Amino acid sequence: MIPRSRVRNIGISAHIDSGKTTLSERILFYTGRIHAIEEVRGGGKGATMDFMDLEKEHGITITSAATTCQWHDTQINLIDTPGHVDFTIEVERSLRVLDGSVMVLCAVAGVQSQSITVDRQMKRYRVPRLAFINKMDRLGADPFRVVQAMRDKLQLNAVLLQYPIGSEDNFQGVIDLVEMTAHYYQGENGEDWVRKSIPSALVDEAQQAREKLLDALSLFSEAMTEQLLEGEEVSQELIWQTIRKATLSLELTPVLLGSAFKNKGVQNLLDAIALYLPSPIDRELVKTAESVSIYPNPDDSLVALAFKLTVESFGQLTYIRIYSGTLKPGDTVYNSRTGKRVQINRLVRMHANKREEMQVAVAGDIIALLSVDCASGDTLCSGKLLSLERMFVPEPVITLSIMAKKQESGDRLSKALNRFQKEDPTFRVTHDPESSATLISGMGELHLEIYIERIQREYNAEVYVSKPAVAYRETILQKATFDYRLKKQTGGSGQFAHVTGWISPTSEPFVFENRVVGGAIPKEYILACEKGFQEAMQSGQLEGYPVTGVKVVLEGGSYHPIDSSEIAFRSAAHQALEQAFIKANPCILEPIMLVEVETPNEFFGRVQGDLSSRRGLLLGSETMLSYTVIRAEVPLAKMFGYSTDLRSLTSGMATFSMEFACYRQALAVKS
């Protein structure tokens, strides 16, 4: 068994088209996991980690894929994640269980909208990261501008560990500023990694870059500061130790350079992963909901998190991260959410969609279980029942109505929807009681388009699909009081409940505060009141949209010793919130999207004008050589079909990305 100190659980995350999957393919090739390189878009079998047919056809990563490879004495458990914001849950749940990450940035585009989202997710789970500036061979590549953007836009202490040898078409390799050697990549696939002396023309520039690196690192090492002040040569070992220490404490982001497509710089990145990113025993102690610390000790009781699942023909495939303990086939564990026993039959290590049987897995491993019935986010334990922190799940912003074309397709559609809803927490299925329609909700048009395509392909179910609808919300703008008395007498015992209090706006989705004193409402009815308030939040009084941003304070009321009940107080609370809602100046909120358009300069005016016509709030623009990046906030309702309109405006030469920004008061809503 490999020592836990030599294990690296890492993910590769970035904005779409930054080269994540291409980089993953090279990592697998140089570590000997695969023996031939396939491209994301090449007409061949497709990249190893993009194993779905839809991924190969669209040329994008749709679902995260896991694999394991070996670099010298280090085992790397790798997860390749999607870059498109519609599939952000895949990044979210991967970062939830990873110890470190590689953020990939385009040397031309730099920090893009999804880069900001990925950075936010890494910070949410306190994941140390390296940055890899990719596509150094592209026209307009400028790693120094990208590093500055990381500092300005992401507030990262980004420090270059390398200096480029040439750029754009003349990009040849990198200078390692720690070893002060030049690195070149020869052979058909860059597999011949050659170290040479630094080219004489770059010696001065490399020396200046090294001095900047040492100056930045000296803030984290008194020994290095002392050596620099005394004019002594700083050892490589001290530099490596200092970089690692500052990276693990999230105070430093080491930056490396390369071109994955041109097979340059990937081996250096693998060395950096082994040198600077944490092992399972280096990460901060994992805390449970019960405030219990979990240590990565194979001899302790098992604690594992189910972070992803897929439903296949043989049953459910459940991906888990083991935080402590040891797991073997035949073991019995418990699901802390349900309290039920779970029999473990088979353990497998994943290589994209291929499985390799395992006889034992220990703390720090990321593996998969076959035919285990659980939900995403469940904690599996062998000792005391503990619950690990669940992952953050964003709310869907777009809804479609879907219906089977033929009766025989109905059952297949139902099976597909049940499966996808179980696999993807951001894919929701609901039923509209008025129209009896089945509604599917997701993170964007592409998100739902992919699922509709999968329904038709994998389940052979032909469906009708309505136009997309916006997921509006309702909220309040001011404080309002309620004083509601429920009193019904229908023979025998009646119903009585009386609640008083007030509601006010809040930044949280829902807040309940109990200020009842003196037993005005018995304690056993307080929870029923809270449930009643929550039920009333499901449908607003303006257009029936879900309500958000409301704080409810229950101050008092009265009860009847015979006629009061949980049902009565639940109903009274529901009616009380509806009563106060109308008085609290309610309004409708609409989802606002952060839109980033990359367009050739000649189309800048057209694109900007079009965004303004969509009620877009322009946030700024950045010009880079022959193209401009425009950022704006635009209501989602005005963005349907935008990809087609943008192609028409720019002769197909512009691209855009879009992600949810916030909810904002709507000017008008069509019912």
Side-chain angles (χ1 to χ4, degrees), residues 89 392-400 402 417 420-422 424-431 438-443 447-448 451 473:
I89 187 62
F392 171 78
V393 179
E395 287 296 312
V397 297
I398 183 173
T399 300
L400 297 175
I402 190 169
L417 295 179
F420 297 146
Q421 185 174 218
K422 189 173 185 181
D424 183 351
T426 61
F427 180 75
R428 311 280 174 85
V429 180
T430 55
H431 295 276
T438 299
L439 306 177
I440 58 174
S441 302
M443 301 305 297
H447 189 206
L448 297 184
Y451 276 120
R473 296 286 185 268

Short mmCIF file of all heavy atoms in Angstrom, two decimals, residues 89 392-400 402 417 420-422 424-431 438-443 447-448 451 473:
data_model
loop_
_atom_site.label_atom_id
_atom_site.label_comp_id
_atom_site.label_asym_id
_atom_site.label_seq_id
_atom_site.Cartn_x
_atom_site.Cartn_y
_atom_site.Cartn_z
N ILE A 89 -22.19 21.89 -10.85
CA ILE A 89 -22.34 20.97 -9.72
C ILE A 89 -21.26 19.91 -9.74
O ILE A 89 -20.82 19.42 -8.70
CB ILE A 89 -23.75 20.33 -9.71
CG1 ILE A 89 -23.97 19.51 -8.42
CG2 ILE A 89 -23.95 19.45 -10.93
CD1 ILE A 89 -23.92 20.32 -7.16
N PHE A 392 -22.48 22.45 -1.31
CA PHE A 392 -23.36 23.55 -1.71
C PHE A 392 -24.00 23.21 -3.06
O PHE A 392 -23.31 22.79 -4.00
CB PHE A 392 -22.54 24.83 -1.84
CG PHE A 392 -23.30 25.98 -2.46
CD1 PHE A 392 -24.21 26.71 -1.72
CD2 PHE A 392 -23.10 26.31 -3.79
CE1 PHE A 392 -24.91 27.76 -2.30
CE2 PHE A 392 -23.79 27.37 -4.38
CZ PHE A 392 -24.70 28.09 -3.62
N VAL A 393 -25.32 23.36 -3.15
CA VAL A 393 -26.04 23.07 -4.40
C VAL A 393 -26.75 24.34 -4.86
O VAL A 393 -27.66 24.82 -4.18
CB VAL A 393 -27.06 21.93 -4.21
CG1 VAL A 393 -27.81 21.67 -5.52
CG2 VAL A 393 -26.37 20.65 -3.73
N PRO A 394 -26.35 24.90 -6.01
CA PRO A 394 -27.03 26.11 -6.50
C PRO A 394 -28.45 25.82 -6.96
O PRO A 394 -28.77 24.69 -7.35
CB PRO A 394 -26.14 26.55 -7.68
CG PRO A 394 -25.43 25.31 -8.11
CD PRO A 394 -25.25 24.47 -6.88
N GLU A 395 -29.29 26.84 -6.92
CA GLU A 395 -30.68 26.69 -7.32
C GLU A 395 -30.82 26.80 -8.84
O GLU A 395 -30.15 27.61 -9.48
CB GLU A 395 -31.54 27.78 -6.67
CG GLU A 395 -31.78 27.57 -5.19
CD GLU A 395 -32.57 26.31 -4.90
OE1 GLU A 395 -33.61 26.08 -5.55
OE2 GLU A 395 -32.14 25.53 -4.03
N PRO A 396 -31.70 25.98 -9.45
CA PRO A 396 -31.95 26.07 -10.90
C PRO A 396 -32.54 27.43 -11.28
O PRO A 396 -33.21 28.07 -10.46
CB PRO A 396 -32.97 24.95 -11.16
CG PRO A 396 -32.87 24.04 -9.99
CD PRO A 396 -32.48 24.89 -8.83
N VAL A 397 -32.29 27.87 -12.51
CA VAL A 397 -32.77 29.18 -12.95
C VAL A 397 -33.65 29.10 -14.20
O VAL A 397 -34.17 30.12 -14.64
CB VAL A 397 -31.60 30.15 -13.22
CG1 VAL A 397 -30.82 30.41 -11.95
CG2 VAL A 397 -30.67 29.61 -14.32
N ILE A 398 -33.80 27.92 -14.78
CA ILE A 398 -34.56 27.80 -16.02
C ILE A 398 -35.43 26.55 -15.98
O ILE A 398 -35.03 25.53 -15.41
CB ILE A 398 -33.60 27.77 -17.24
CG1 ILE A 398 -34.38 27.74 -18.55
CG2 ILE A 398 -32.63 26.63 -17.15
CD1 ILE A 398 -33.48 27.87 -19.78
N THR A 399 -36.64 26.64 -16.53
CA THR A 399 -37.60 25.55 -16.46
C THR A 399 -38.21 25.28 -17.84
O THR A 399 -38.49 26.21 -18.60
CB THR A 399 -38.73 25.88 -15.46
OG1 THR A 399 -38.16 26.07 -14.18
CG2 THR A 399 -39.76 24.76 -15.39
N LEU A 400 -38.39 23.98 -18.15
CA LEU A 400 -39.07 23.56 -19.37
C LEU A 400 -40.21 22.62 -19.01
O LEU A 400 -40.15 21.92 -18.00
CB LEU A 400 -38.11 22.81 -20.31
CG LEU A 400 -36.89 23.53 -20.88
CD1 LEU A 400 -36.04 22.53 -21.66
CD2 LEU A 400 -37.32 24.66 -21.80
N ILE A 402 -42.08 19.22 -20.24
CA ILE A 402 -41.73 18.07 -21.08
C ILE A 402 -42.85 17.04 -21.02
O ILE A 402 -43.48 16.85 -19.97
CB ILE A 402 -40.38 17.47 -20.61
CG1 ILE A 402 -39.88 16.43 -21.61
CG2 ILE A 402 -40.45 16.91 -19.21
CD1 ILE A 402 -38.45 15.99 -21.36
N LEU A 417 -36.22 10.55 -15.99
CA LEU A 417 -36.28 11.71 -15.09
C LEU A 417 -35.92 11.34 -13.66
O LEU A 417 -35.22 12.09 -12.97
CB LEU A 417 -37.68 12.35 -15.15
CG LEU A 417 -38.09 12.96 -16.50
CD1 LEU A 417 -39.48 13.53 -16.41
CD2 LEU A 417 -37.10 14.04 -16.93
N PHE A 420 -32.02 10.84 -13.61
CA PHE A 420 -31.23 12.07 -13.72
C PHE A 420 -31.39 12.96 -12.50
O PHE A 420 -30.44 13.62 -12.08
CB PHE A 420 -31.61 12.83 -15.00
CG PHE A 420 -31.31 12.07 -16.27
CD1 PHE A 420 -32.13 12.20 -17.38
CD2 PHE A 420 -30.23 11.21 -16.33
CE1 PHE A 420 -31.86 11.50 -18.55
CE2 PHE A 420 -29.95 10.50 -17.50
CZ PHE A 420 -30.77 10.65 -18.61
N GLN A 421 -32.59 12.95 -11.92
CA GLN A 421 -32.81 13.76 -10.72
C GLN A 421 -32.00 13.21 -9.55
O GLN A 421 -31.49 13.96 -8.72
CB GLN A 421 -34.30 13.79 -10.38
CG GLN A 421 -34.63 14.71 -9.21
CD GLN A 421 -36.13 14.84 -8.99
OE1 GLN A 421 -36.64 15.90 -8.67
NE2 GLN A 421 -36.85 13.76 -9.16
N LYS A 422 -31.85 11.89 -9.50
CA LYS A 422 -31.07 11.26 -8.42
C LYS A 422 -29.58 11.54 -8.61
O LYS A 422 -28.85 11.76 -7.64
CB LYS A 422 -31.33 9.75 -8.40
CG LYS A 422 -30.74 9.05 -7.19
CD LYS A 422 -31.17 7.60 -7.12
CE LYS A 422 -30.68 6.96 -5.82
NZ LYS A 422 -31.06 5.53 -5.73
N ASP A 424 -28.12 14.13 -10.38
CA ASP A 424 -27.73 15.53 -10.48
C ASP A 424 -28.60 16.40 -9.56
O ASP A 424 -29.77 16.62 -9.83
CB ASP A 424 -27.89 16.00 -11.93
CG ASP A 424 -27.43 17.44 -12.15
OD1 ASP A 424 -27.14 18.14 -11.16
OD2 ASP A 424 -27.38 17.86 -13.32
N PRO A 425 -28.04 16.90 -8.45
CA PRO A 425 -28.84 17.71 -7.51
C PRO A 425 -29.36 19.01 -8.10
O PRO A 425 -30.29 19.61 -7.55
CB PRO A 425 -27.85 17.99 -6.37
CG PRO A 425 -26.77 16.97 -6.51
CD PRO A 425 -26.67 16.68 -7.97
N THR A 426 -28.77 19.50 -9.22
CA THR A 426 -29.25 20.75 -9.81
C THR A 426 -30.32 20.51 -10.88
O THR A 426 -30.85 21.46 -11.45
CB THR A 426 -28.09 21.53 -10.45
OG1 THR A 426 -27.49 20.75 -11.50
CG2 THR A 426 -27.04 21.89 -9.43
N PHE A 427 -30.64 19.24 -11.15
CA PHE A 427 -31.71 18.91 -12.09
C PHE A 427 -32.96 18.55 -11.28
O PHE A 427 -32.96 17.60 -10.52
CB PHE A 427 -31.28 17.74 -12.98
CG PHE A 427 -32.32 17.31 -13.98
CD1 PHE A 427 -32.55 18.05 -15.13
CD2 PHE A 427 -33.05 16.14 -13.79
CE1 PHE A 427 -33.50 17.65 -16.06
CE2 PHE A 427 -34.00 15.73 -14.71
CZ PHE A 427 -34.22 16.49 -15.86
N ARG A 428 -34.01 19.34 -11.41
CA ARG A 428 -35.21 19.15 -10.60
C ARG A 428 -36.41 18.78 -11.48
O ARG A 428 -36.56 19.31 -12.59
CB ARG A 428 -35.55 20.43 -9.83
CG ARG A 428 -34.38 21.04 -9.07
CD ARG A 428 -34.10 20.37 -7.75
NE ARG A 428 -32.88 20.90 -7.14
CZ ARG A 428 -32.83 21.98 -6.39
NH1 ARG A 428 -33.94 22.67 -6.16
NH2 ARG A 428 -31.68 22.37 -5.86
N VAL A 429 -37.25 17.90 -10.97
CA VAL A 429 -38.48 17.50 -11.66
C VAL A 429 -39.66 17.82 -10.75
O VAL A 429 -39.70 17.39 -9.60
CB VAL A 429 -38.47 16.00 -12.00
CG1 VAL A 429 -39.76 15.61 -12.73
CG2 VAL A 429 -37.26 15.64 -12.86
N THR A 430 -40.61 18.60 -11.27
CA THR A 430 -41.82 18.94 -10.50
C THR A 430 -43.03 18.79 -11.41
O THR A 430 -42.90 18.58 -12.62
CB THR A 430 -41.75 20.39 -9.97
OG1 THR A 430 -41.52 21.28 -11.08
CG2 THR A 430 -40.64 20.55 -8.96
N HIS A 431 -44.21 18.89 -10.81
CA HIS A 431 -45.46 18.79 -11.57
C HIS A 431 -46.30 20.03 -11.34
O HIS A 431 -46.47 20.48 -10.19
CB HIS A 431 -46.23 17.53 -11.18
CG HIS A 431 -45.52 16.26 -11.53
ND1 HIS A 431 -45.59 15.68 -12.78
CD2 HIS A 431 -44.70 15.47 -10.79
CE1 HIS A 431 -44.85 14.59 -12.78
NE2 HIS A 431 -44.31 14.43 -11.60
N THR A 438 -45.39 18.05 -16.62
CA THR A 438 -44.14 17.72 -15.94
C THR A 438 -43.12 18.80 -16.27
O THR A 438 -42.89 19.11 -17.44
CB THR A 438 -43.60 16.35 -16.39
OG1 THR A 438 -44.56 15.34 -16.05
CG2 THR A 438 -42.28 16.03 -15.71
N LEU A 439 -42.51 19.39 -15.24
CA LEU A 439 -41.56 20.49 -15.42
C LEU A 439 -40.17 20.01 -15.04
O LEU A 439 -39.99 19.36 -14.02
CB LEU A 439 -41.95 21.69 -14.56
CG LEU A 439 -43.37 22.22 -14.72
CD1 LEU A 439 -43.62 23.37 -13.74
CD2 LEU A 439 -43.62 22.70 -16.14
N ILE A 440 -39.18 20.33 -15.88
CA ILE A 440 -37.79 20.06 -15.53
C ILE A 440 -37.05 21.39 -15.41
O ILE A 440 -37.26 22.30 -16.21
CB ILE A 440 -37.09 19.15 -16.56
CG1 ILE A 440 -37.13 19.75 -17.97
CG2 ILE A 440 -37.70 17.77 -16.54
CD1 ILE A 440 -36.33 18.96 -19.00
N SER A 441 -36.22 21.51 -14.38
CA SER A 441 -35.50 22.76 -14.11
C SER A 441 -34.01 22.46 -14.04
O SER A 441 -33.60 21.40 -13.58
CB SER A 441 -35.97 23.39 -12.80
OG SER A 441 -37.37 23.63 -12.84
N GLY A 442 -33.21 23.44 -14.48
CA GLY A 442 -31.76 23.25 -14.48
C GLY A 442 -31.02 24.57 -14.47
O GLY A 442 -31.60 25.65 -14.30
N MET A 443 -29.71 24.48 -14.73
CA MET A 443 -28.82 25.62 -14.60
C MET A 443 -28.71 26.47 -15.87
O MET A 443 -28.10 27.54 -15.84
CB MET A 443 -27.42 25.15 -14.19
CG MET A 443 -27.39 24.39 -12.87
SD MET A 443 -28.12 25.31 -11.51
CE MET A 443 -27.02 26.71 -11.43
N HIS A 447 -27.68 22.79 -20.24
CA HIS A 447 -27.90 21.77 -19.20
C HIS A 447 -29.14 20.93 -19.52
O HIS A 447 -29.08 19.68 -19.54
CB HIS A 447 -28.08 22.49 -17.85
CG HIS A 447 -28.10 21.56 -16.67
ND1 HIS A 447 -28.74 21.88 -15.49
CD2 HIS A 447 -27.60 20.33 -16.48
CE1 HIS A 447 -28.60 20.89 -14.63
NE2 HIS A 447 -27.91 19.93 -15.21
N LEU A 448 -30.26 21.60 -19.82
CA LEU A 448 -31.50 20.88 -20.11
C LEU A 448 -31.47 20.24 -21.49
O LEU A 448 -32.02 19.15 -21.69
CB LEU A 448 -32.69 21.83 -19.98
CG LEU A 448 -32.93 22.40 -18.57
CD1 LEU A 448 -34.20 23.24 -18.54
CD2 LEU A 448 -33.00 21.29 -17.53
N TYR A 451 -29.82 16.87 -21.22
CA TYR A 451 -30.67 15.84 -20.62
C TYR A 451 -31.79 15.41 -21.57
O TYR A 451 -32.14 14.21 -21.62
CB TYR A 451 -31.25 16.34 -19.29
CG TYR A 451 -30.30 16.14 -18.14
CD1 TYR A 451 -29.84 17.21 -17.39
CD2 TYR A 451 -29.84 14.87 -17.81
CE1 TYR A 451 -28.95 17.02 -16.34
CE2 TYR A 451 -28.96 14.67 -16.77
CZ TYR A 451 -28.51 15.74 -16.04
OH TYR A 451 -27.62 15.56 -15.02
N ARG A 473 -38.85 34.49 -8.58
CA ARG A 473 -39.10 34.37 -7.15
C ARG A 473 -39.91 35.58 -6.68
O ARG A 473 -39.97 36.60 -7.37
CB ARG A 473 -37.78 34.32 -6.36
CG ARG A 473 -36.91 33.11 -6.67
CD ARG A 473 -37.48 31.85 -6.06
NE ARG A 473 -36.60 30.71 -6.25
CZ ARG A 473 -36.67 29.87 -7.27
NH1 ARG A 473 -37.58 30.06 -8.21
NH2 ARG A 473 -35.84 28.85 -7.36
#
